[in-house]
Amino acid sequence: MRLILLGPPGAGKGTQALRLVEKHGIVQLSTGDMLRAAVAAGTPVGLRAKSIMERGELVPDEVVVAIIADRIDQPDAKRGFVLDGFPRTVPQAEALERLLGERGLALDGVIQLKVDERILLQRIENRIREMTARGEKLRADDNPEVLKGRLEAYRAQTAPLVDHYQAKGLLKAVDGMAAIDAVTAAINGILSPAARKPKARKPARRKAAGKPARAKAKKPARPRTQARRARAAKSVKSRRKAGRAGGAKSKRGQTKSRTQRRLTKRR
Ligand code: ADP
């Protein structure tokens, strides 16, 4: 199974990704985690990404696309993956489509965690306060000022992905403001085999309600092509000829048409 979790920072993508990993035996690919690891290890990518991440801005597309391209080829990603934090821009989404297409793979769905941004800000501020009170280490970008920038980047660069995936028929939205278990249940419902089957055709409601079926729309007349016109003209001519050559005659000596013959035939 190959999925994307889409939603602003603090929407709960990481939490739900872990549950999907457990349930489906797939891997979580979080570009945020990978970049933080690169920063911690001091790799060239890490050095490039460090200050960008601290400002809450987005790392250049080609950097994250290269990381993902490499990661989806690892053996543990063969069974599937849940992307968390990627793609974050339309060009990243297009690059992902190319990467998957080249490997004969496709996405199974894009799950959007819908949240109220004002409450989100409070959620993260609370989390920061609680972690500080417990003496836990915060992420470099986990402060209210940077968070505003991250939300801004989401609105401007990532939110257009909702329309992008909607147009592809891949988007499935769940209420991210619900309790964690309720969000998980909603996602599982979306991914259950029954929900993924194409919808059965609805029974005709008019019939069930005892109403007569609606008349079918008449087919528009086929425009006469030259060939059809020629065929029609030929058949008129041949009918006339057949009449002259001794068709059934009426009392008045006129050639009877087939309809007339049928109507006047003795029973
Ligand atoms: P959040 O908790 O805000 O969802 P992440 O942990 O996913 O954040 O990412 C943290 C930071 O890493 C982002 O603010 C951004 O600077 C960088 N980053 C992560 N993924 C991407 C991506 N796909 N494209 C660009 N930058 C990214």
Side-chain angles (χ1 to χ4, degrees), residues 5-260:
L5 280 174
L6 193 59
K13 300 188 294 288
T15 308
Q16 298 301 330
L18 287 179
R19 292 176 171 211
L20 286 165
V21 163
E22 251 174 53
K23 187 168 167 68
H24 299 281
I26 54 180
V27 288
Q28 174 194 13
L29 304 185
S30 157
T31 39
D33 286 349
M34 294 179 209
L35 289 168
R36 276 186 288 278
V39 171
T43 65
V45 164
L47 294 176
R48 200 169 159 196
K50 188 173 187 288
S51 60
I52 301 175
M53 291 174 74
E54 282 171 359
R55 289 196 300 273
E57 292 165 12
L58 294 190
V59 171
D61 289 339
E62 76 269 14
V63 174
V64 281
V65 169
I67 295 179
I68 285 293
D70 192 48
R71 193 60 189 84
I72 60 175
D73 285 334
Q74 303 294 313
D76 64 345
K78 289 281 176 265
R79 283 199 57 191
F81 47 75
V82 49
L83 290 165
D84 152 19
F86 181 92
R88 252 180 163 92
T89 64
V90 173
Q92 288 182 20
E94 288 166 351
L96 176 66
E97 275 142 39
R98 263 198 314 279
L99 288 176
L100 294 178
E102 283 162 9
R103 290 159 177 77
L105 305 173
L107 286 173
D108 292 283
V110 177
I111 296 162
Q112 180 197 8
L113 298 176
K114 290 184 97 169
V115 289
D116 180 332
E117 281 194 21
R118 281 162 310 168
I119 298 178
L120 211 61
L121 209 65
Q122 286 168 20
R123 246 198 210 179
I124 299 185
E125 283 171 356
N126 281 346
R127 192 178 73 192
I128 294 170
R129 222 172 297 125
E130 284 165 15
M131 287 179 75
T132 315
R134 287 197 297 264
E136 287 169 10
K137 200 170 178 289
L138 290 177
R139 259 167 55 174
D141 58 354
D142 249 353
N143 70 64
E145 250 341 283
V146 178
L147 178 67
K148 284 192 189 120
R150 279 156 61 195
L151 278 173
E152 196 46 56
Y154 177 82
R155 248 178 260 132
Q157 292 165 276
T158 311
L161 290 179
V162 170
D163 285 346
H164 179 88
Y165 286 119
Q166 180 101 58
K168 291 184 180 292
L170 285 170
L171 195 79
K172 327 254 183 237
V174 299
D175 175 15
M177 299 313 292
I180 293 178
D181 286 345
V183 177
T184 307
I187 295 176
N188 289 343
I190 283 171
L191 299 177
S192 71
R196 294 169 75 203
K197 257 199 281 177
K199 274 194 190 139
R201 283 183 65 178
K202 278 190 199 156
R205 262 191 289 154
R206 291 182 70 81
K207 202 172 172 188
K211 291 183 195 165
R214 243 185 230 127
K216 272 193 186 157
K218 253 193 176 174
K219 257 195 188 171
R222 252 201 307 161
R224 278 201 170 177
T225 60
Q226 216 174 352
R228 283 188 69 209
R229 229 177 284 132
R231 243 181 286 130
K234 200 172 154 197
S235 71
V236 167
K237 257 193 224 161
S238 58
R239 259 188 269 131
R240 274 199 208 128
K241 217 164 140 194
R244 255 182 268 127
K249 301 271 173 140
S250 73
K251 278 182 193 154
R252 286 189 202 143
Q254 287 162 328
T255 307
K256 277 184 183 174
S257 71
R258 221 180 331 157
T259 321
Q260 270 175 323

